[in-house]
Every structure is written in structure tokens, then in C-alpha cells.
Amino acid sequence: MTNPYAHTIEPLDPQKPDHKFFNLKKLGDPRYDQLPFSIRVLLESAVRNCDGFLVKKDDVEKILNWKVTQSQTVEVPFRPARVILQDFTGVPAVVDFAAMRDAVKKLQGDPEKINPVCPADLVIDHSIQVDFNRKSDSLQKNQDLEFERNRERFEFLKWGSKAFRNMRIIPPGSGIVHQVNLEYLARVVFEQDGYYYPDSLVGTDSHTTMIDGLGVLGWGVGGIEAEAVMLGQPISMVLPEVIGYKLQGTPDKYITSTDIVLTVTKHLRQVGVVGKFVEFFGPGVAQLSIADRATIANMCPEYGATAAFFPVDQISIQYLKQTGRDTEKLSYIEKYLKAVGMFRDYSNTAQDPQFTQVVELDLSTVVPCCSGPKRPQDRVSVSEMKQDFETCLGAKQGFKGFQVAPERHNVQVSFEYNGADYSLSHGSVVIAAITSCTNTSNPSVMLGAGLLAQKAVKAGLSVKPYIKTSLSPGSGVVTYYLKESGVMDFLSQLGFEVVGYGCMTCIGNSGPLPEQVVEAITQGDLVAAGVLSGNRNFEGRVHPNTRANYLASPPLVIAYAIAGTVRIDFEKEPLAVNAQGKEVFLRDIWPTREEIQAVERQFVIPAMFKEVYEKVEKVNERWNSLKAPSDKLYTWNTNSTYIKSPPFFDGLTRELQTPKSITDAYVLLNLGDSVTTDHISPAGNIARNSSAARYLTSRGLTPREFNSYGSRRGNDAVMARGTFANIRLFNKFINKQAPSTIYLPTGETMDVFDAAEKYQQAAHPLLILAGKEYGSGSSRDWAAKGPFLLGIKAVLAESYERIHRSNLVGMGIIPLEYLPGDNAESLGLTGRERYTVIIPPQLTPRMTVDIKLDTGKTFQAKMRFDTDVELTYFHHGGILNYMIRKMSEN
């Protein structure tokens, strides 16, 4: 059919009539100029894709009427221009595609219809671990071990790149997906099929929002939803409220972008932005580089928003030049964005759109800070770190408490390491990692760390040898400018050798600590600390032996490594005393913003980016030598413990099954607030006493071959056993942290998987009880797939994080939400009752349903299917079942 907005199409350049765009200005609607810039991107997508079937003219009107409809739960479709993936989420996505091809063939459809219709870039960055550090050959050894462990996964991904069109693999050793996206993959404006349109994306990683800092609208989704997008299905989303975040003032010369983002994170958590867009404006934005903006946008999941958008301005264009983008493309990017009113001048208040709400931050009020010890939003100013940690030591067990008895606060444990004597106490730093896309993408903080290291070495300072130090840059460009500027040698002298190009410590791939250190921590039951320049510090994520984990800027990571403890007041106490007996304070070696900027101007140049990225897809010889079959259908190896055909589509028929009420369900787990996807489906090490370990052992593997849960996401048998296997999971049934629960029919305590298996054998449906912010953290789809395989039919929580709720919907699990004012405590729920959830024949979005208990009590909850499309997925038993049936149609 003809697009009803074809009259708005015109050439961008009269000299190139075949290069056209939808000129939204020609809609002639005064509402357009009042829209937030992020909503204008949604509008352009709706106008361009208006086909009368998946996207309707009515959808365009809904978006234009955003001022009225934003708070009315109005559903609109969005078709992102592309999808990005990383290997932990990419492997299960390719496994699903392979299994979907098999399922479509069984239903007499064309299996090759299961294929990405938009560009899909998969960056391998989650597999490398910090097994070796502090040595010049650490990088090579870690990369060798990465290939040894993951060869089968990598061969499978290489098969995927051959079997599916539009799928590009960026090999291991290239960098972190979000930094590679920022520096290389991002188009900002697409030119495809003769049309210009805004770059936009979804990614299978929650920190996809980092690209919002460059003015590309993007956010994280679960792998399940991303797969549907790749197959051509629009995202069905509730038209969001947009919070305008006004930045004013100038940061102090000692402040880093990390300090700013941790301040913003705490502030926006307090404001409450879950499910909303945040759009930055105001004169303070012009004070921030693109790397600074990307840092702030990166931590969007930590403050709970869907997107954190910085519209494109002149600084964005300068960044594209700096990173070596094509000059001709830059000219049409700027010309197009200005033509459609999407190019921003932050000093021009006349361009300020209307927002749902405006909040402000004066950048001059930001102080140096960290966040922790267990959550990213718990910001602590550096000046208060010592006092805050000591308060946490004695406080009740919780997000800000470890419940250590007062008489044990100053306990010390001596140990020997490499022939010298040392001691550990509460707060001792045992991991110091410069890591993560959040900070390693930013030359100012990376060069700041290098300059601080240079001054520290010249002042005679060092880092104790037992502290696990590491540097994992987000791309090869970082190493390039650190070496060219002369600071890499000083980082190495302090132990911060390059250990790999990937997420590493930030996602729990921190590798082992020295045995002597682990023994000392265990012997003293110490609250040891990790300090990392990452974005997440949930319990059990960074390392099993670091109970306190603090997020900090790269220079502060080095500072705390030198100090050896977080129990230090840098303003009053010296970092250390050098060999000459001189006290050296942090202020003596801290570089100013002016010093850093001078080095950045000289050494961060376009030629570096061009040289690194021209060869990024072909430089890895190991990857090039991998052999993979070229068959369109995957030949499953039944002996594989990495890649296994999942059971999600077993018995799938063309006919729909009517959803039934959940009858007499048992509660598998009774959980509290802020249960993260790390708690639900951990990514790190597989404990030797776990259900997953027993399974792998039964398949003939030794503990050395277990690898991590993240690397095993292509095997449902491992991942089901790893569901709720986090050692820091707090289950009210057993009133302690452990990956265990009570099998209620007999009262036995057992591993969660074993209990779920017994319930399934007895044909008992299962339920989860939870508090606020259920499913916060990473966008991992296995946090929904795992519960599905355990037989969980519904979750009853006070609130959900956005991505995880979508993942539950995608797997056909019902997200139930207590009505306002209700929770488990107010309703007197113990979790030992049996629950019947009444599912009526006619369902509507966000409807209220009755829940009956075997005690005779009845209460109501909201069923969080937020759109009609989500209800359609539920009727099909999940989004992938829906897509298979759709693709099987002739």
C-alpha cells in the first residue's frame, strides 16, 4: 500500500534526487516542535514504516499527541533500525534461531524465513576472564585461555554469521560492544534503500543506552524481544513520559564524568524514572564531551529509565570526526538532522521542548564520589567513604549493612604472599579493576588514571602485590593512546597491565584471587572490598569473596589500590608513605581537568580510530582459522555441553491453546526487594557444589572445564540448574543467603533446581513472591527462560524493572503486581499458602485479577500485560511461539 505520508518525501540534496527523506516538518503540525527530541525519533519511525498493518496512521497521531497521551498508557509500535548483541546474549539468540528454523520446518513452513531483516551486529566481549594479571604476557595468556574454553561457542557463532543474512560478528579481542558501537558501528543517520533516517537500535544488553550519549536512540531489551525485532516485528511500547534533566554550571576541575554519573544515578533513583525516557538539556550539556555524555547514558539502567537521550549537537559531529568517520557521511548527517528539527543547540532555550517533568543538576555541586557497597545508586562522597564503610560494617544485613559484631570491626588476619608478610582487615582492597564500557570509553578518565599513575610512581608509591589489579580497555584505541601519551608504562608499574579487551571484572569474569588471600578472608570472615570502574556492584556479582564492592572512576580505582583499603579519608590521611618516609596525599598526585585535556588533544586523534577499526573484523587470526559448517539448518551435537537444542518449542502446534487459570500453585521462593537478574540467573563461576556442577560432572567434565554460567547460555540443561543459584540470594523461607529453598510438601531444604524438579514431577505449578524492583540489572533473557523451565507460571511482585517484565511476558510467565498499598506483609502472606490465579476468558491490558489462597483468603493483583500485543504473545505462550506460527504461514 502507499504510505499515507508519501507527500512529505523530498530529496535531501537537489543534486541527488534518489537520496530522499521523510521531511517531518512538512506534516505542518505545530505539535511537532513541542515534542522531546527522543519522541521525534519514534515519530519518524512510525511515519516511515506506516504500512496500515504493523504501523498505522493512528499510531502517528498518538505520537504527535504525546503531550496528552504520554500518561494514558497509549501503545505505539517502534521499529529500530538495527540490533546489537554481545556473545552471552547472542549465543542463546542464535540457538533460538536455529531451533526456530527446525520448528518452522516441522510446521511445513520455510525455515529460511527465520532470518534477521535488519542489520544485527554481535560483538564477542563477555567470554574473556582475568585468569592472569600483572605480567606483560597476561593479555596473550587470557586470550589463549578464552579460545580454549570457548572454541565450540565461537564455532557456533561463526556458523550463525554464515547461515543468517544481515548478521555480522565482531571477533573476540576487539573491545566491549557499547564502546565499539560508539566508536565504529553507530551510523547516527542511516542511508539505506535510497532513504535517510535516524539511527536507532535495541540491544541484548541493558547498557545499550550508552549510545544515547551520541544522539542515537537505543535501549536494552531481552534477547527474546530482540529476536522478534530481527525478524521484523515492531516493539510494542507504551508511549513514555519524558523527564527533562537540565544541566547547568561547570564541574570543578577535579571532577570526573564518573562522579557526575554516580550523582545523576542517585538523584534519578530518588525522582523515580522507571519506564520513562530521560532527555538532557540546558547549557551544562555543552560542558560535556561525547564520552562524558556516553558515561551518563551508559548507567541509565542503574537509575531505572528506558533511555537517557542527548540530542545530536555540534560536539557530536566533532566526535564523529575525531573517531574517523567518513567526511561525506558527516555532511549529510548534519544536513538531515537540521532539516527534520533533530539537531540541538543546547544554549538556545527556544529549542527546549515540552517535558513531562523537569529536574535540574548544577554541575558545580558535584563532588568526588563512589557508589556501594552493594548497589550503584548508593552514592558515597569520597570524603565520607571511611565513615560510611564503618557504619555499614555494624548495620543490619541489607543494602547498606553487613551486621558484623562491634568487637570484630578491627580484626586483622596475617598471611604470607610471595615470601613477605601482609595482613587483611575489613575494608581491605583485594580487587582493583579499571574495566567496563562505562569508563574505559572515556579518554578523560583513562588518561586521568594514567597521569595519576605517572605521578604516583614518581612519588615512590606502589600497589601491594596480592591485590588483583587489572586494566581491560573497551577498545584497542584506548591502549593506543595510553601508549602514545607515555602513561602505559606507569600503569604497568602499578600492576595495571592490559589483561584483555572485554567486560571482564564488571560482569564477574574477575578470575581467581590468590589462595592465601581467600584463606585469610575466610578465616577472618572479612568484608573484603573490590573497587572497579564498572556500572554494577550487586552482591555476588564481582567476586564471591568481595562482599563490599565500590564503583569509582579509574583514577580513584588506582588511589584505593595504592591505599590498600576503603577505610581511608583521603582529605586527612596520606595514600601511603614512600621509601623516603614522605607522606603522599591524593591531592599531591591528582591531575587537573586542564592537564588531562591537554594530553587528550595531542594524542586522541582520528588516525588511531581508523587504524584500529579498518582491521577489526579480520585481525584476529584465531577467529579467522575457525571452521564452521555452512548448512542453513544446524546439526545439533548431542554430546555438547555448550550448545543444545532448547525444549521451548517441543510439541508446538499451529493451533492456539486457551490460557488457563493457575490452580493451587506452590511458592518456590519468597524474596524481598531489588532481586536482580544476577540473583535469578548468575553469569559468573559455577560453584562446585551446585546442581549445574553435578550435571557437568555427570557429563565427564572437571571443575577446571566448567567455565561460567554466562558461557553456558546455549545449553538449557545447565542454565535451568543455574537459575536462582546465586550464593547471595536471600530467601525468606530459610532466612539467609543461599541458593536453596524449602520443598513445602515435606519441609526439606534443598537446592532451588532440585525442589523445582520435585514440584514438576508432581505436576504442581509454581509461583515467585517478590518485593520492589524485581528483575533489576542486566537484560539477560535467561532470567525468564530459567524460571519458565523450572515450571514457574507467574511472579507476584510490588514492582518490576522494565526489561525483565518484558522478558517474563516473552516467555509466557504472568507478571502479577500488587495493587497500590498492598504487599506480602500487608496481606499477611507467608508464601506457604497455595495460590490460585483466576485467568478470565477475556483479557485486557493491565487488568485486575483475583487470587485465591487455600486458606480461604482472596485478594487482587494487576496483571502486567501492558499492551494488546503483549496479550497476543501470552495467548501464543510467548513471543517466539508467536513468531514461529507467523513464519509458518504460507
Side-chain angles (χ1 to χ4, degrees), residues 231-269:
L231 295 175
Q233 183 73 4
I235 287 178
S236 173
M237 61 184 295
V238 173
L239 195 60
E241 297 181 14
V242 182
I243 306 300
Y245 200 90
K246 188 173 185 178
L247 295 175
Q248 302 186 88
T250 302
D252 182 84
K253 63 181 181 179
Y254 294 111
I255 293 302
T256 68
S257 58
T258 315
D259 301 319
I260 296 171
V261 72
L262 296 180
T263 302
V264 169
T265 298
K266 181 175 183 179
H267 185 198
L268 285 175
R269 269 291 173 187

Side-chain angles (χ1 to χ4, degrees), residues 373-413:
K374 303 181 185 182
R375 294 192 304 181
Q377 62 262 44
D378 293 331
R379 185 186 69 87
V380 187
S381 65
V382 170
S383 61
E384 296 174 354
M385 245 318 247
K386 181 178 182 179
Q387 179 185 342
D388 186 82
F389 178 82
E390 290 177 348
T391 301
C392 289
L393 264 186
K396 183 181 177 182
Q397 181 71 38
F399 300 124
K400 294 287 287 184
F402 297 102
Q403 207 161 333
V404 176
E407 64 273 13
R408 294 192 51 79
H409 283 197
N410 296 310
V411 67
Q412 291 203 340
V413 180

Side-chain angles (χ1 to χ4, degrees), residues 446-649:
M446 295 303 289
L447 288 168
L451 290 171
L452 184 140
Q454 182 181 54
K455 293 183 178 188
V457 170
K458 290 182 176 179
L461 305 185
S462 61
V463 176
K464 293 181 178 67
Y466 63 80
I467 296 176
K468 187 157 193 179
T469 48
S470 61
L471 168 58
S472 49
S475 80
V477 175
V478 179
T479 309
Y480 204 144
Y481 66 65
L482 290 177
K483 286 182 176 178
E484 290 293 309
S485 62
V487 299
M488 191 66 237
D489 286 344
F490 297 101
L491 287 163
S492 298
Q493 287 180 58
L494 292 180
F496 289 90
E497 290 278 3
V498 174
V499 294
Y501 296 94
C503 303
M504 304 192 88
T505 300
C506 188
I507 60 166
N509 285 357
S510 46
L513 289 174
E515 287 184 16
Q516 302 94 316
V517 172
V518 173
E519 288 171 6
I521 292 171
T522 305
Q523 179 185 335
D525 194 20
L526 298 178
V527 181
V531 184
L532 65 153
S533 64
N535 46 45
R536 295 220 170 107
N537 53 346
F538 304 132
E539 286 184 284
R541 178 183 176 93
V542 174
H543 193 280
N545 296 112
T546 57
R547 287 159 64 189
N549 295 283
Y550 288 92
L551 308 181
S553 66
L556 278 176
V557 170
I558 296 176
Y560 280 109
I562 294 170
T565 180
V566 296
R567 295 173 81 171
I568 182 171
D569 183 341
F570 285 135
E571 294 183 3
K572 298 176 183 177
E573 301 173 62
L575 268 176
V577 178
N578 65 18
Q580 288 73 43
K582 181 185 176 184
E583 292 185 341
V584 180
F585 286 80
L586 181 57
R587 57 179 172 267
D588 299 331
I589 61 172
W590 192 270
T592 65
R593 185 176 281 253
E594 290 77 15
E595 288 178 85
I596 296 166
Q597 288 174 343
V599 177
E600 183 177 349
R601 280 192 296 270
Q602 183 177 355
F603 293 104
V604 184
I605 57 176
M608 288 183 177
F609 292 89
K610 285 184 177 178
E611 183 177 335
V612 168
Y613 284 113
E614 276 176 355
K615 56 189 180 183
V616 70
E617 294 178 45
K618 51 184 180 291
V619 73
N620 191 317
E621 291 301 328
R622 288 191 201 83
W623 175 263
N624 296 340
S625 66
L626 285 178
K627 306 297 181 188
S630 55
D631 303 338
K632 296 300 182 183
L633 293 176
Y634 187 69
T635 303
W636 304 96
N637 177 0
T638 55
N639 294 320
S640 173
T641 57
Y642 277 108
I643 308 298
K644 178 177 176 290
S645 181
F648 305 132
F649 315 122

Side-chain angles (χ1 to χ4, degrees), residues 815-855:
L816 297 168
E817 190 170 282
Y818 291 104
L819 297 182
D822 284 353
N823 56 34
E825 186 178 358
S826 69
L827 293 170
L829 306 180
T830 66
R832 295 176 181 272
E833 310 87 354
R834 296 184 71 174
Y835 292 68
T836 295
V837 182
I838 308 299
I839 308 297
Q842 297 299 319
L843 303 179
T844 57
R846 301 174 74 92
M847 72 181 296
T848 299
V849 295
D850 291 327
I851 300 176
K852 297 181 178 180
L853 308 181
D854 62 343
T855 61

Side-chain angles (χ1 to χ4, degrees), residues 310 358 366 550 575 644 709 796:
F310 288 83
V358 171
V366 176
Y550 288 92
L575 268 176
K644 178 177 176 290
Y709 281 114
L796 176 58

Side-chain angles (χ1 to χ4, degrees), residues 209-228:
T209 52
M210 184 169 178
I211 204 63
D212 291 338
L214 186 57
V216 176
L217 185 63
W219 61 84
V221 296
I224 308 159
E225 195 169 8
E227 290 164 33

